Amino acid sequence: MAQQLSYINLINYFASIAADHQQISSFYFGPKWDAEVTTEASYPIMIVIPQTSVLRKDSIVLKHKIQILDIISKDASNREQVLSDNLATLMEVKAFIWKDFFFDIFPTDESDLEPYYENYNDELGGWSAEVDLQLDWLAEVCSIPGLYPSG
C-alpha cells in the first residue's frame, strides 16, 4: 500500500529546494503576517505561504504562494535587476517542481506570476507564483482508533 504524504514532508521539500538553489540565501514557510523578514535575513529569500486548498474524494490539491524576494535599494536603482533575477529564480523553482516526482505530487500545468513589492522591515521586490500540487489521497479510515465505517 502507498504511504500518504504528510504535510511536514512537503514543507521539508520546499525547504530543500531553497537550500539547494545557489541563488536562494534563506527560506521561510508560514503565514505572511508571521514572516520574519528582517535586515538580518539573507537575500534573496524564498517564502512559501499556504493558501486555501481543496480536498476531493480521492485527491487533495495543496495550494501555496511562492515568493522570491530581494532588497530593492532606497533609490530603486536596482529594481529592474531584482525583478529580472527573481523571475528567473522563480521560474527555475517552478520548473524543478514540474519535473520532479516527489511523493507523486502533480503540479498543475500553469500558474499566475505576479510582480511583488513589499515593505517588511526591508523594502523588497520580486515575484510570486501560485503553486497548486495535486496528490492522491488514500482516504484511509481503518487506522483511526475507534472509528469503523459502516459501508
Side-chain angles (χ1 to χ4, degrees):
M1 181 184 304
Q3 184 177 1
Q4 184 69 51
L5 169 76
S6 72
Y7 198 60
I8 194 69
N9 296 132
L10 186 61
I11 295 167
N12 291 336
Y13 177 67
F14 285 129
S16 70
I17 291 171
D20 292 343
H21 195 290
Q22 293 181 0
Q23 271 63 49
I24 298 172
S25 297
S26 55
F27 173 76
Y28 169 78
F29 181 92
K32 179 180 175 181
W33 58 84
D34 278 348
E36 295 182 15
V37 182
T38 68
T39 54
E40 291 83 34
S42 299
Y43 295 102
I45 186 170
M46 178 173 151
I47 299 175
V48 178
I49 303 169
Q51 305 291 298
T52 302
S53 298
V54 178
L55 180 61
R56 298 181 180 138
K57 184 177 180 178
D58 60 356
S59 66
I60 184 170
V61 179
L62 296 170
K63 299 180 179 195
H64 297 84
K65 179 179 281 193
I66 295 179
Q67 300 172 326
I68 307 292
L69 303 174
D70 202 351
I71 294 178
I72 295 178
S73 61
K74 296 292 181 198
D75 65 359
S77 61
N78 68 335
R79 180 183 299 140
E80 291 82 9
Q81 190 64 51
V82 165
L83 289 173
S84 179
D85 293 347
N86 290 334
L87 178 58
T89 300
L90 182 59
M91 290 171 60
E92 291 163 358
V93 168
K94 291 280 296 179
F96 181 82
I97 294 170
W98 275 325
K99 298 197 183 305
D100 195 18
F101 294 102
F102 176 76
F103 281 100
D104 294 324
I105 294 173
F106 303 102
T108 55
D109 287 341
E110 68 176 52
S111 66
D112 293 335
L113 295 171
E114 179 182 356
Y116 198 81
Y117 307 95
E118 184 67 54
N119 286 323
Y120 287 96
N121 292 342
D122 298 315
E123 187 169 332
L124 302 176
W127 288 85
S128 68
E130 297 293 328
V131 176
D132 298 348
L133 304 172
Q134 180 173 323
L135 56 137
D136 292 336
W137 179 49
L138 302 178
E140 180 62 51
V141 295
C142 294
S143 61
I144 301 174
L147 291 181
Y148 304 98
S150 59

